[in-house]
């Protein structure tokens, strides 16, 4: 499947067969990383992070470095020319002269898509506001494939901030494209999944959905539990955040009767929504998830750059 030169702004930009080709390459990289250690020699990744990030930025940097490439960029908009008023269009035009591929994280929804319209190099959306986070979705899907064996046929519960959680928005829409997945949405009423996404799930994907505020009532009947933090930075009113931030806290006792092969996933960072006593439970998958994220991004960038993976 030829992804050379393609942008990834929304997971829907790739067909399921194209996504599966990325996962197949990622699995080969997991099995034998040394074989791919120089495939991006001479290539440069630009990381344009207008919003704070640890895992996503470092994961991309690690991915390029593991393939023999190099990295340039910024991790704070205040140290970029954006602080002087430079437009996104001009920034990406210039960066296209410096690098071979770029990843952009931005607080404004749609900023990476705008950049892609003016870019001569592949652009990857590293997260735009509360909208999309497609490479986290690739990470999540690879994790499910590696640990559950199949991306299809699972009952998946999403818990926490489903309103602002871009990781949830990207993942649930993509999972609905795979067959026989069912969804349980666990959140306070104020943080429910947006109606426009539920419309896609129900009317386009014809997915089965259950909404509830009670995590403990459903935890024993699911295959995957996707926990999210209540995101302080998405609230306009701090009082609302304080009121909702402790809505769901997963601890080991709540897992007592859940399926032994259930996965507990989390895009990280966590605050207090998963207790530390869950970390050594066999169902905890979130640190494995972070590791798989490097390989998902390696496979994605190698595919977009069209490098010789047999080199």
């Amino acid at each position: 499947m030829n992804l050379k030169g393609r942008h990834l702004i929304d997971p829907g930009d790739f067909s399921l067969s194209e996504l599966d080709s990325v996962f197949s390459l990622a699995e080969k990289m997991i099995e034998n990383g040394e074989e791919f250690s120089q495939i991006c020699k001479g290539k440069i990744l630009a990381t344009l992070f207008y919003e704070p990030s640890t895992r996503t930025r470092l994961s991309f940097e690690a991915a390029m470095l593991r393939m023999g490439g190099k990295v340039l960029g910024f991790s704070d908009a205040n140290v970029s020319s954006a602080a002087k008023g430079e437009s996104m269009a001009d920034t990406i035009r210039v960066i296209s002269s410096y690098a071979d591929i770029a990843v952009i994280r931005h607080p404004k929804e749609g900023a990476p898509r705008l950049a892609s319209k003016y870019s001569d190099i592949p652009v990857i959306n590293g997260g735009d506001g509360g909208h999309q986070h497609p490479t986290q979705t690739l990470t999540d899907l690879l994790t499910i494939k590696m640990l559950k064996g199949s991306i299809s046929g699972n009952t998946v519960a999403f818990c926490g901030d489903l309103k602002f959680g871009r990781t949830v928005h990207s993942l649930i829409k993509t999972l609905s494209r795979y067959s026989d997945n069912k969804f349980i949405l666990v959140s306070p009423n104020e943080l429910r999944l947006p109606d426009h996404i539920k419309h896609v799930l129900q009317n386009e994907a014809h997915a089965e959905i259950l909404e509830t505020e009670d995590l403990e009532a459903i935890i024993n009947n699911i295959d995957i539990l996707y926990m999210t933090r209540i995101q302080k930075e998405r609230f306009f009113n701090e009082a609302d955040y304080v009121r909702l931030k402790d809505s769901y806290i997963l601890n080991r006792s709540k897992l007592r009767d859940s399926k032994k092969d259930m996965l507990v996933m989390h895009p990280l960072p966590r605050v207090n929504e998963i207790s530390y006593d869950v970390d050594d439970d066999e169902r905890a998958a979130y640190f494995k998830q972070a590791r798989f994220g490097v390989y998902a991004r390696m496979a994605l960038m190698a595919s977009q750059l069209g490098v010789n993976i047999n080199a």
Side-chain angles (χ1 to χ4, degrees):
M1 199 63 63
N2 188 6
L3 297 177
K4 184 177 180 179
R6 297 267 296 276
H7 304 300
L8 178 61
I9 308 301
D10 181 301
D13 294 339
F14 289 0
S15 68
L16 292 189
S17 60
E18 288 169 340
L19 289 174
D20 289 340
S21 73
V22 173
F23 302 144
S24 294
L25 178 55
E27 288 186 70
K28 293 176 183 176
M29 291 172 161
I30 291 169
E31 292 167 5
N32 189 3
E34 283 298 314
E35 182 181 334
F36 303 93
S37 63
Q38 295 300 313
I39 60 172
C40 285
K41 186 176 181 180
K43 300 294 185 182
I44 298 175
L45 164 68
T47 55
L48 313 181
F49 278 68
Y50 294 82
E51 188 178 55
S53 168
T54 301
R55 268 148 296 276
T56 301
R57 181 172 61 84
L58 295 182
S59 180
F60 267 106
E61 292 183 2
M64 181 53 81
L65 293 171
R66 283 181 180 274
M67 295 188 292
K70 296 182 179 179
V71 180
L72 56 80
F74 55 83
S75 58
D76 184 345
N78 292 323
V79 300
S80 76
S81 290
K84 304 174 184 177
E86 183 176 51
S87 69
M88 175 63 74
D90 282 359
T91 296
I92 197 64
R93 283 184 175 120
V94 173
I95 294 298
S96 293
S97 302
Y98 299 161
D100 301 287
I101 190 167
V103 55
I104 300 174
R105 168 167 286 189
H106 203 284
K108 292 184 179 179
E109 297 178 5
R113 185 173 296 283
L114 174 66
S116 71
K117 296 181 184 300
Y118 295 91
S119 179
D120 295 326
I121 59 176
V123 170
I124 301 168
N125 180 1
D128 59 333
H131 191 217
Q132 297 280 353
H133 197 345
T135 63
Q136 183 64 50
T137 296
L138 264 61
T139 296
D140 298 339
L141 295 176
L142 179 62
T143 301
I144 294 169
K145 189 172 190 289
M146 295 295 294
L147 300 182
K148 295 294 290 183
S150 176
I151 300 174
S152 300
N154 294 299
T155 298
V156 186
F158 291 88
C159 180
D161 179 1
L162 310 189
K163 180 178 181 180
F164 299 111
R166 60 191 171 199
T167 58
V168 171
H169 300 171
S170 285
L171 180 57
I172 197 168
K173 287 201 297 184
T174 308
L175 277 174
S176 73
R177 296 167 63 193
Y178 288 85
S179 61
D180 301 322
N181 286 319
K182 301 176 182 178
F183 304 107
I184 302 176
L185 310 177
V186 186
S187 69
N189 185 60
E190 297 93 330
L191 296 176
R192 294 172 75 173
L193 192 72
D195 288 339
H196 68 91
I197 297 178
K198 283 189 283 188
H199 177 83
V200 171
L201 299 179
Q202 294 173 321
N203 297 297
E204 296 181 22
H206 306 293
E208 184 177 324
I209 299 174
L210 170 67
E211 289 189 279
T212 180
E213 294 187 25
D214 190 346
L215 173 61
E216 293 180 61
I218 57 91
I219 196 169
N220 298 339
N221 300 307
I222 58 178
D223 301 301
I224 299 166
L225 174 58
Y226 198 93
M227 296 292 295
T228 65
R229 68 186 173 94
I230 308 299
Q231 302 178 87
K232 184 177 182 179
E233 64 270 26
R234 304 295 176 207
F235 281 81
F236 295 106
N237 184 331
E238 186 169 355
D240 288 339
Y241 167 74
V242 170
R243 178 170 54 84
L244 295 170
K245 69 184 179 69
D246 295 329
S247 296
Y248 302 102
I249 298 176
L250 180 69
N251 56 40
R252 191 149 188 163
S253 66
K254 292 177 182 176
L255 291 171
R256 185 175 56 249
D257 297 321
S258 62
K259 295 180 180 180
K260 296 302 180 186
D261 63 346
M262 184 185 81
L263 300 183
V264 178
M265 299 176 64
H266 192 301
L268 299 177
R270 67 172 161 185
V271 181
N272 66 338
E273 61 277 0
I274 300 179
S275 298
Y276 287 98
D277 66 359
V278 175
D279 292 355
D280 59 357
D281 189 285
E282 59 188 2
R283 288 159 286 208
Y286 31 91
F287 292 118
K288 294 176 184 176
Q289 192 178 345
R291 175 176 173 267
F292 288 139
V294 175
Y295 294 101
R297 293 175 174 108
M298 286 172 65
L300 171 65
M301 290 191 290
S303 299
Q304 291 173 297
L305 289 167
V307 296
N308 182 3
I309 61 173
N310 297 312

